[in-house]
Short mmCIF file of all heavy atoms in Angstrom, two decimals:
data_model
loop_
_atom_site.label_atom_id
_atom_site.label_comp_id
_atom_site.label_asym_id
_atom_site.label_seq_id
_atom_site.Cartn_x
_atom_site.Cartn_y
_atom_site.Cartn_z
N TYR A 911 -114.67 -81.47 -119.04
CA TYR A 911 -114.19 -82.68 -119.66
C TYR A 911 -115.29 -83.72 -119.59
O TYR A 911 -116.00 -83.78 -118.58
CB TYR A 911 -112.94 -83.17 -118.93
CG TYR A 911 -111.87 -82.14 -118.81
CD1 TYR A 911 -111.85 -81.23 -117.75
CD2 TYR A 911 -110.87 -82.02 -119.78
CE1 TYR A 911 -110.88 -80.26 -117.64
CE2 TYR A 911 -109.90 -81.04 -119.68
CZ TYR A 911 -109.93 -80.15 -118.61
OH TYR A 911 -108.94 -79.20 -118.53
N TYR A 912 -115.39 -84.53 -120.63
CA TYR A 912 -116.48 -85.51 -120.69
C TYR A 912 -115.99 -86.85 -121.21
O TYR A 912 -115.09 -86.95 -122.07
CB TYR A 912 -117.58 -85.02 -121.62
CG TYR A 912 -118.26 -83.76 -121.15
CD1 TYR A 912 -117.86 -82.53 -121.60
CD2 TYR A 912 -119.31 -83.82 -120.24
CE1 TYR A 912 -118.45 -81.35 -121.17
CE2 TYR A 912 -119.93 -82.66 -119.81
CZ TYR A 912 -119.49 -81.42 -120.28
OH TYR A 912 -120.11 -80.27 -119.85
N GLU A 913 -116.59 -87.90 -120.70
CA GLU A 913 -116.42 -89.22 -121.26
C GLU A 913 -117.09 -89.22 -122.63
O GLU A 913 -118.12 -88.56 -122.85
CB GLU A 913 -117.02 -90.26 -120.31
CG GLU A 913 -116.65 -91.67 -120.60
CD GLU A 913 -117.63 -92.36 -121.52
OE1 GLU A 913 -118.82 -92.00 -121.45
OE2 GLU A 913 -117.22 -93.25 -122.27
N ASP A 914 -116.52 -89.95 -123.56
CA ASP A 914 -116.99 -89.87 -124.95
C ASP A 914 -118.49 -90.18 -125.10
O ASP A 914 -119.15 -89.53 -125.90
CB ASP A 914 -116.17 -90.82 -125.83
CG ASP A 914 -114.76 -90.31 -126.11
OD1 ASP A 914 -114.52 -89.12 -125.86
OD2 ASP A 914 -113.93 -91.14 -126.56
N SER A 915 -118.97 -91.15 -124.38
CA SER A 915 -120.36 -91.57 -124.61
C SER A 915 -121.39 -90.55 -124.13
O SER A 915 -122.55 -90.64 -124.49
CB SER A 915 -120.63 -92.91 -123.91
OG SER A 915 -120.66 -92.77 -122.53
N VAL A 916 -120.99 -89.57 -123.34
CA VAL A 916 -121.92 -88.56 -122.84
C VAL A 916 -121.74 -87.20 -123.49
O VAL A 916 -122.55 -86.30 -123.24
CB VAL A 916 -121.87 -88.42 -121.30
CG1 VAL A 916 -121.98 -89.80 -120.62
CG2 VAL A 916 -120.60 -87.71 -120.84
N LYS A 917 -120.72 -87.06 -124.30
CA LYS A 917 -120.48 -85.78 -124.97
C LYS A 917 -121.71 -85.40 -125.82
O LYS A 917 -122.23 -86.21 -126.56
CB LYS A 917 -119.24 -85.85 -125.85
CG LYS A 917 -117.95 -85.79 -125.08
CD LYS A 917 -116.74 -85.88 -126.03
CE LYS A 917 -115.44 -85.87 -125.27
NZ LYS A 917 -114.28 -86.04 -126.16
N GLY A 918 -122.11 -84.16 -125.69
CA GLY A 918 -123.28 -83.70 -126.44
C GLY A 918 -124.61 -84.00 -125.76
O GLY A 918 -125.64 -83.46 -126.17
N ARG A 919 -124.59 -84.84 -124.71
CA ARG A 919 -125.80 -85.16 -124.01
C ARG A 919 -125.81 -84.64 -122.57
O ARG A 919 -126.83 -84.23 -122.03
CB ARG A 919 -126.04 -86.68 -123.98
CG ARG A 919 -126.16 -87.33 -125.33
CD ARG A 919 -126.59 -88.77 -125.22
NE ARG A 919 -125.67 -89.60 -124.47
CZ ARG A 919 -125.99 -90.30 -123.41
NH1 ARG A 919 -127.23 -90.28 -122.93
NH2 ARG A 919 -125.07 -91.05 -122.78
N PHE A 920 -124.63 -84.68 -121.93
CA PHE A 920 -124.49 -84.25 -120.54
C PHE A 920 -123.72 -82.93 -120.49
O PHE A 920 -122.81 -82.68 -121.30
CB PHE A 920 -123.72 -85.30 -119.73
CG PHE A 920 -124.44 -86.59 -119.51
CD1 PHE A 920 -125.60 -86.91 -120.15
CD2 PHE A 920 -123.91 -87.50 -118.58
CE1 PHE A 920 -126.26 -88.10 -119.94
CE2 PHE A 920 -124.55 -88.71 -118.36
CZ PHE A 920 -125.73 -89.01 -119.04
N THR A 921 -124.06 -82.11 -119.51
CA THR A 921 -123.37 -80.87 -119.29
C THR A 921 -123.08 -80.68 -117.82
O THR A 921 -123.97 -80.73 -116.99
CB THR A 921 -124.18 -79.67 -119.78
OG1 THR A 921 -124.53 -79.81 -121.15
CG2 THR A 921 -123.43 -78.35 -119.59
N ILE A 922 -121.78 -80.50 -117.51
CA ILE A 922 -121.40 -80.24 -116.13
C ILE A 922 -121.24 -78.73 -115.94
O ILE A 922 -120.77 -78.04 -116.83
CB ILE A 922 -120.09 -80.98 -115.77
CG1 ILE A 922 -119.78 -80.84 -114.27
CG2 ILE A 922 -118.91 -80.50 -116.60
CD1 ILE A 922 -118.65 -81.75 -113.81
N SER A 923 -121.68 -78.24 -114.79
CA SER A 923 -121.53 -76.82 -114.50
C SER A 923 -121.41 -76.66 -112.99
O SER A 923 -121.59 -77.62 -112.23
CB SER A 923 -122.76 -76.05 -115.02
OG SER A 923 -123.96 -76.49 -114.40
N ARG A 924 -121.08 -75.46 -112.56
CA ARG A 924 -120.95 -75.22 -111.16
C ARG A 924 -121.39 -73.81 -110.81
O ARG A 924 -121.21 -72.89 -111.62
CB ARG A 924 -119.53 -75.50 -110.67
CG ARG A 924 -118.46 -74.58 -111.24
CD ARG A 924 -117.08 -75.15 -110.92
NE ARG A 924 -116.84 -75.26 -109.48
CZ ARG A 924 -115.84 -76.00 -108.95
NH1 ARG A 924 -115.03 -76.71 -109.75
NH2 ARG A 924 -115.70 -76.04 -107.66
N ASP A 925 -121.90 -73.66 -109.60
CA ASP A 925 -122.24 -72.36 -109.01
C ASP A 925 -121.41 -72.23 -107.77
O ASP A 925 -121.79 -72.77 -106.69
CB ASP A 925 -123.73 -72.31 -108.73
CG ASP A 925 -124.17 -70.97 -108.16
OD1 ASP A 925 -123.31 -70.20 -107.75
OD2 ASP A 925 -125.38 -70.75 -108.09
N ASN A 926 -120.30 -71.57 -107.86
CA ASN A 926 -119.38 -71.50 -106.71
C ASN A 926 -119.98 -70.73 -105.55
O ASN A 926 -119.66 -70.96 -104.40
CB ASN A 926 -118.03 -70.94 -107.14
CG ASN A 926 -117.19 -71.99 -107.88
OD1 ASN A 926 -117.39 -73.18 -107.73
ND2 ASN A 926 -116.27 -71.52 -108.71
N ALA A 927 -120.82 -69.77 -105.85
CA ALA A 927 -121.45 -69.00 -104.77
C ALA A 927 -122.34 -69.88 -103.92
O ALA A 927 -122.52 -69.68 -102.74
CB ALA A 927 -122.26 -67.86 -105.36
N ALA A 928 -122.91 -70.94 -104.57
CA ALA A 928 -123.78 -71.85 -103.88
C ALA A 928 -123.06 -73.14 -103.48
O ALA A 928 -123.69 -74.04 -102.90
CB ALA A 928 -124.97 -72.19 -104.77
N ASN A 929 -121.77 -73.21 -103.78
CA ASN A 929 -120.98 -74.46 -103.45
C ASN A 929 -121.65 -75.70 -104.04
O ASN A 929 -121.73 -76.74 -103.38
CB ASN A 929 -120.84 -74.61 -101.94
CG ASN A 929 -119.47 -74.18 -101.45
OD1 ASN A 929 -118.70 -73.56 -102.18
ND2 ASN A 929 -119.15 -74.51 -100.21
N THR A 930 -122.11 -75.60 -105.26
CA THR A 930 -122.87 -76.69 -105.87
C THR A 930 -122.37 -76.95 -107.29
O THR A 930 -122.07 -76.01 -108.05
CB THR A 930 -124.38 -76.37 -105.90
OG1 THR A 930 -124.82 -76.12 -104.57
CG2 THR A 930 -125.17 -77.51 -106.49
N VAL A 931 -122.29 -78.22 -107.64
CA VAL A 931 -121.96 -78.65 -108.99
C VAL A 931 -123.15 -79.40 -109.54
O VAL A 931 -123.84 -80.13 -108.82
CB VAL A 931 -120.71 -79.54 -108.98
CG1 VAL A 931 -120.43 -80.11 -110.37
CG2 VAL A 931 -119.50 -78.77 -108.48
N TYR A 932 -123.38 -79.25 -110.85
CA TYR A 932 -124.56 -79.85 -111.47
C TYR A 932 -124.13 -80.75 -112.62
O TYR A 932 -123.06 -80.58 -113.21
CB TYR A 932 -125.47 -78.76 -112.03
CG TYR A 932 -125.92 -77.76 -111.01
CD1 TYR A 932 -125.26 -76.54 -110.89
CD2 TYR A 932 -126.99 -78.03 -110.19
CE1 TYR A 932 -125.67 -75.60 -109.94
CE2 TYR A 932 -127.41 -77.11 -109.24
CZ TYR A 932 -126.72 -75.91 -109.14
OH TYR A 932 -127.16 -75.01 -108.19
N LEU A 933 -124.99 -81.70 -112.92
CA LEU A 933 -124.82 -82.53 -114.11
C LEU A 933 -126.19 -82.59 -114.80
O LEU A 933 -127.08 -83.28 -114.32
CB LEU A 933 -124.33 -83.94 -113.76
CG LEU A 933 -124.00 -84.80 -114.99
CD1 LEU A 933 -122.77 -84.23 -115.73
CD2 LEU A 933 -123.73 -86.25 -114.57
N GLN A 934 -126.31 -81.86 -115.88
CA GLN A 934 -127.52 -81.89 -116.66
C GLN A 934 -127.41 -83.02 -117.66
O GLN A 934 -126.47 -83.06 -118.46
CB GLN A 934 -127.73 -80.56 -117.40
CG GLN A 934 -128.95 -80.53 -118.29
CD GLN A 934 -130.25 -80.55 -117.52
OE1 GLN A 934 -130.43 -79.79 -116.56
NE2 GLN A 934 -131.16 -81.43 -117.88
N MET A 935 -128.36 -83.95 -117.60
CA MET A 935 -128.31 -85.11 -118.47
C MET A 935 -129.54 -85.14 -119.38
O MET A 935 -130.70 -85.06 -118.88
CB MET A 935 -128.32 -86.40 -117.63
CG MET A 935 -127.18 -86.42 -116.59
SD MET A 935 -127.06 -87.96 -115.67
CE MET A 935 -128.62 -87.94 -114.80
N THR A 936 -129.30 -85.20 -120.66
CA THR A 936 -130.39 -85.25 -121.65
C THR A 936 -130.23 -86.50 -122.52
O THR A 936 -129.18 -87.15 -122.50
CB THR A 936 -130.42 -84.00 -122.51
OG1 THR A 936 -129.20 -83.93 -123.26
CG2 THR A 936 -130.55 -82.75 -121.66
N SER A 937 -131.26 -86.79 -123.27
CA SER A 937 -131.25 -87.98 -124.17
C SER A 937 -130.76 -89.19 -123.45
O SER A 937 -129.92 -89.97 -123.97
CB SER A 937 -130.37 -87.69 -125.39
OG SER A 937 -130.86 -86.57 -126.11
N LEU A 938 -131.29 -89.42 -122.27
CA LEU A 938 -130.82 -90.55 -121.44
C LEU A 938 -131.17 -91.89 -122.09
O LEU A 938 -132.22 -92.07 -122.71
CB LEU A 938 -131.41 -90.46 -120.06
CG LEU A 938 -130.74 -89.41 -119.15
CD1 LEU A 938 -131.65 -89.04 -117.99
CD2 LEU A 938 -129.39 -89.91 -118.67
N GLN A 939 -130.24 -92.81 -121.94
CA GLN A 939 -130.34 -94.17 -122.50
C GLN A 939 -130.28 -95.21 -121.36
O GLN A 939 -129.71 -94.91 -120.31
CB GLN A 939 -129.22 -94.38 -123.49
CG GLN A 939 -129.17 -93.39 -124.63
CD GLN A 939 -130.42 -93.42 -125.49
OE1 GLN A 939 -130.90 -94.50 -125.86
NE2 GLN A 939 -130.96 -92.26 -125.79
N PRO A 940 -130.79 -96.39 -121.60
CA PRO A 940 -130.71 -97.42 -120.56
C PRO A 940 -129.29 -97.66 -120.06
O PRO A 940 -129.11 -97.96 -118.87
CB PRO A 940 -131.30 -98.66 -121.24
CG PRO A 940 -132.26 -98.10 -122.24
CD PRO A 940 -131.62 -96.82 -122.74
N GLU A 941 -128.33 -97.53 -120.93
CA GLU A 941 -126.91 -97.76 -120.49
C GLU A 941 -126.40 -96.65 -119.61
O GLU A 941 -125.32 -96.78 -119.08
CB GLU A 941 -126.01 -97.91 -121.73
CG GLU A 941 -126.13 -96.80 -122.75
CD GLU A 941 -127.08 -97.14 -123.86
OE1 GLU A 941 -128.13 -97.84 -123.61
OE2 GLU A 941 -126.84 -96.74 -125.02
N ASP A 942 -127.14 -95.58 -119.41
CA ASP A 942 -126.78 -94.55 -118.43
C ASP A 942 -127.21 -94.92 -117.03
O ASP A 942 -126.88 -94.20 -116.07
CB ASP A 942 -127.40 -93.21 -118.83
CG ASP A 942 -126.87 -92.66 -120.13
OD1 ASP A 942 -125.65 -92.71 -120.35
OD2 ASP A 942 -127.69 -92.19 -120.95
N THR A 943 -127.96 -95.99 -116.89
CA THR A 943 -128.42 -96.42 -115.56
C THR A 943 -127.21 -96.77 -114.67
O THR A 943 -126.36 -97.56 -115.07
CB THR A 943 -129.32 -97.67 -115.70
OG1 THR A 943 -130.52 -97.28 -116.39
CG2 THR A 943 -129.68 -98.19 -114.34
N ALA A 944 -127.15 -96.12 -113.53
CA ALA A 944 -126.03 -96.32 -112.61
C ALA A 944 -126.27 -95.47 -111.36
O ALA A 944 -127.18 -94.64 -111.31
CB ALA A 944 -124.72 -95.88 -113.26
N VAL A 945 -125.43 -95.69 -110.37
CA VAL A 945 -125.34 -94.77 -109.25
C VAL A 945 -124.31 -93.70 -109.65
O VAL A 945 -123.20 -94.02 -110.05
CB VAL A 945 -124.91 -95.46 -107.95
CG1 VAL A 945 -124.78 -94.46 -106.82
CG2 VAL A 945 -125.91 -96.56 -107.59
N TYR A 946 -124.71 -92.45 -109.51
CA TYR A 946 -123.87 -91.34 -109.88
C TYR A 946 -123.27 -90.69 -108.64
O TYR A 946 -124.00 -90.36 -107.68
CB TYR A 946 -124.66 -90.30 -110.70
CG TYR A 946 -124.88 -90.73 -112.12
CD1 TYR A 946 -125.76 -91.79 -112.41
CD2 TYR A 946 -124.20 -90.14 -113.17
CE1 TYR A 946 -125.95 -92.21 -113.73
CE2 TYR A 946 -124.40 -90.53 -114.49
CZ TYR A 946 -125.30 -91.59 -114.77
OH TYR A 946 -125.47 -91.99 -116.04
N TYR A 947 -121.97 -90.48 -108.68
CA TYR A 947 -121.24 -89.92 -107.54
C TYR A 947 -120.55 -88.61 -107.95
O TYR A 947 -119.96 -88.54 -109.05
CB TYR A 947 -120.15 -90.88 -107.08
CG TYR A 947 -120.62 -92.20 -106.60
CD1 TYR A 947 -120.79 -93.28 -107.49
CD2 TYR A 947 -120.91 -92.42 -105.26
CE1 TYR A 947 -121.20 -94.53 -107.04
CE2 TYR A 947 -121.36 -93.67 -104.80
CZ TYR A 947 -121.51 -94.70 -105.72
OH TYR A 947 -121.93 -95.96 -105.28
N CYS A 948 -120.57 -87.65 -107.05
CA CYS A 948 -119.73 -86.48 -107.31
C CYS A 948 -118.51 -86.60 -106.43
O CYS A 948 -118.49 -87.28 -105.40
CB CYS A 948 -120.45 -85.17 -107.06
SG CYS A 948 -120.76 -84.76 -105.36
N ALA A 949 -117.43 -85.93 -106.85
CA ALA A 949 -116.16 -86.04 -106.18
C ALA A 949 -115.42 -84.71 -106.24
O ALA A 949 -115.58 -83.93 -107.19
CB ALA A 949 -115.33 -87.15 -106.82
N GLN A 950 -114.60 -84.49 -105.24
CA GLN A 950 -113.84 -83.21 -105.15
C GLN A 950 -112.38 -83.54 -104.87
O GLN A 950 -112.06 -84.43 -104.06
CB GLN A 950 -114.39 -82.32 -104.06
CG GLN A 950 -113.75 -80.98 -103.99
CD GLN A 950 -114.32 -80.13 -102.86
OE1 GLN A 950 -113.69 -79.96 -101.83
NE2 GLN A 950 -115.51 -79.65 -103.07
N ARG A 951 -111.54 -82.82 -105.54
CA ARG A 951 -110.10 -82.97 -105.29
C ARG A 951 -109.73 -82.16 -104.04
O ARG A 951 -110.20 -81.07 -103.85
CB ARG A 951 -109.32 -82.46 -106.51
CG ARG A 951 -107.84 -82.61 -106.41
CD ARG A 951 -107.16 -82.61 -107.75
NE ARG A 951 -105.74 -82.48 -107.65
CZ ARG A 951 -104.89 -83.44 -107.32
NH1 ARG A 951 -105.36 -84.64 -107.05
NH2 ARG A 951 -103.60 -83.20 -107.27
N ALA A 952 -108.80 -82.71 -103.24
CA ALA A 952 -108.41 -82.04 -101.99
C ALA A 952 -107.47 -80.88 -102.25
O ALA A 952 -107.48 -79.90 -101.51
CB ALA A 952 -107.75 -83.03 -101.04
N ARG A 953 -106.66 -80.98 -103.29
CA ARG A 953 -105.66 -79.95 -103.58
C ARG A 953 -106.12 -79.06 -104.75
O ARG A 953 -106.94 -79.46 -105.57
CB ARG A 953 -104.33 -80.58 -103.89
CG ARG A 953 -103.66 -81.21 -102.65
CD ARG A 953 -102.47 -82.03 -103.03
NE ARG A 953 -102.86 -83.30 -103.65
CZ ARG A 953 -102.00 -84.20 -104.11
NH1 ARG A 953 -100.72 -83.96 -104.07
NH2 ARG A 953 -102.43 -85.32 -104.63
N THR A 954 -105.52 -77.87 -104.79
CA THR A 954 -105.93 -76.91 -105.85
C THR A 954 -105.28 -77.24 -107.17
O THR A 954 -105.70 -76.78 -108.23
CB THR A 954 -105.61 -75.49 -105.45
OG1 THR A 954 -104.20 -75.39 -105.18
CG2 THR A 954 -106.38 -75.08 -104.21
N THR A 955 -104.19 -78.01 -107.16
CA THR A 955 -103.51 -78.35 -108.39
C THR A 955 -104.15 -79.58 -109.02
O THR A 955 -104.67 -80.46 -108.34
CB THR A 955 -102.02 -78.66 -108.13
OG1 THR A 955 -101.95 -79.71 -107.15
CG2 THR A 955 -101.31 -77.43 -107.62
N TRP A 956 -104.09 -79.66 -110.35
CA TRP A 956 -104.68 -80.80 -111.05
C TRP A 956 -104.16 -80.80 -112.46
O TRP A 956 -103.61 -79.80 -112.98
CB TRP A 956 -106.19 -80.73 -111.06
CG TRP A 956 -106.75 -79.42 -111.57
CD1 TRP A 956 -106.94 -78.28 -110.84
CD2 TRP A 956 -107.13 -79.10 -112.91
NE1 TRP A 956 -107.46 -77.28 -111.63
CE2 TRP A 956 -107.57 -77.76 -112.91
CE3 TRP A 956 -107.17 -79.82 -114.10
CZ2 TRP A 956 -108.03 -77.11 -114.08
CZ3 TRP A 956 -107.62 -79.20 -115.24
CH2 TRP A 956 -108.04 -77.84 -115.23
#
């Protein structure tokens, strides 16, 4: 799932064997400047 302004530019993926999630960001713009946080849900339902 993506926020509209990043669709087509950002790609989220995960490697569960490595317990790692990635965010590939391309065509970056000044408005993308921010602190980026990752987050995890505590429960398996969503």
Side-chain angles (χ1 to χ4, degrees):
Y911 306 88
Y912 297 94
E913 193 268 330
D914 285 346
S915 71
V916 308
K917 284 180 182 176
R919 301 190 299 123
F920 291 10
T921 303
I922 187 170
S923 61
R924 65 192 299 164
D925 181 347
N926 283 336
N929 258 13
T930 302
V931 175
Y932 304 97
L933 185 68
Q934 178 68 49
M935 305 185 295
T936 63
S937 300
L938 283 161
Q939 303 298 315
E941 52 266 34
D942 294 316
T943 295
V945 178
Y946 283 70
Y947 299 89
C948 74
Q950 185 182 105
R951 181 158 168 78
R953 289 170 285 178
T954 58
T955 56
W956 53 274

